[in-house]
Amino acid sequence: MTKKTAIATALSAAALIGASQAQAADYAIDTDGQHAFVQFKISHLGYSYILGSFEEFSGSFSYDPENLEAAAASVEVDVTSLNSNNAERDKHFKSEDFLDAGEYPTATFNSTGFEPTGDNEGVLTGELTLHGETHEIEMPVTLLGEGEDPWGGYRAGFEGSTTLTLADYGIDMGDFPEVMHELELYVTFEGVRQ
């Protein structure tokens, strides 16, 4: 659910973090090559976890290793592409009881700032819109690496995670144990310099 927002956040974070030798550039997230993922983890009644992902999303980021504070990212997630490896559960997650994907089929993230916290690490801040609600979120991110690829391109990759409180986005979890009221969003992205 909130995973989508998390994804957007992670994307921007990745771009912002990269302190390296690359020059300021714009990157497109490599979804065609399946080198980017937006995933989520939520407790199941406190006994186990439900893991899932959003299969369809797109986005871009830009960064200048000499001016990380100016990094920017934008991500759009197709909420209807949620997949938790159980068709009936996915249908329920996408229903009016939770994400209401029919009414709100898209989640977006747009960065508003980035603060470096160490070598190849920082905190990405941005606005996440999910289920018709927009809130500012923070996601710690880490640059995984960057450099030339075997096909003549240049890539940069990162990962990040954050915790979302579902009630903040109008998703009522009151009928479920408190451990299910939050969701962990994990994203890892590889971007191709344009």
Side-chain angles (χ1 to χ4, degrees), residues 50-186:
I50 297 169
L51 305 177
S53 63
F54 291 93
E55 305 294 323
E56 300 293 331
F57 57 90
S58 61
S60 62
F61 61 85
S62 63
Y63 81 90
D64 178 348
E66 302 302 322
N67 185 16
L68 294 177
E69 290 82 358
S74 177
V75 179
E76 183 173 295
V77 177
D78 180 355
V79 177
T80 68
S81 71
L82 180 148
N83 178 9
S84 70
N85 296 311
N86 183 299
E88 285 302 310
R89 179 172 58 210
D90 293 349
K91 183 177 178 181
H92 193 202
F93 280 170
K94 292 184 272 189
S95 75
E96 295 178 4
D97 291 343
F98 297 104
L99 291 174
D100 197 359
E103 181 71 20
Y104 308 106
T106 304
T108 61
F109 173 82
N110 291 293
S111 64
T112 57
F114 179 77
E115 181 179 350
T117 57
D119 289 344
N120 298 329
E121 296 180 348
V123 176
L124 179 68
T125 304
E127 292 187 342
L128 171 65
T129 299
L130 175 69
H131 194 246
E133 300 280 345
T134 300
H135 294 282
E136 184 175 83
I137 64 170
E138 292 184 349
M139 176 179 282
V141 295
T142 301
L143 175 70
L144 298 175
E146 65 175 300
E148 296 180 358
D149 64 28
W151 308 282
Y154 193 93
R155 295 171 179 261
F158 65 91
E159 66 177 346
S161 65
T162 193
T163 299
L164 301 176
T165 300
L166 299 176
D168 289 348
Y169 295 91
I171 300 170
D172 183 7
M173 299 297 288
D175 292 339
F176 298 92
E178 190 172 344
V179 292
M180 297 183 69
H181 294 189
E182 293 183 336
L183 173 146
E184 180 183 344
L185 176 66
Y186 170 77

Side-chain angles (χ1 to χ4, degrees), residues 4-52:
K4 305 157 188 179
T5 45
I7 303 170
T9 331
L11 298 176
S12 30
L16 309 170
I17 307 182
S20 70
Q21 304 164 8
Q23 297 178 357
D26 294 327
Y27 290 77
I29 296 170
D30 184 9
T31 55
D32 290 341
Q34 296 299 307
H35 298 126
F37 303 89
V38 176
Q39 302 173 321
F40 63 92
K41 173 181 171 181
I42 187 169
S43 175
H44 182 249
L45 305 174
Y47 308 134
S48 184
Y49 292 99
I50 297 169
L51 305 177

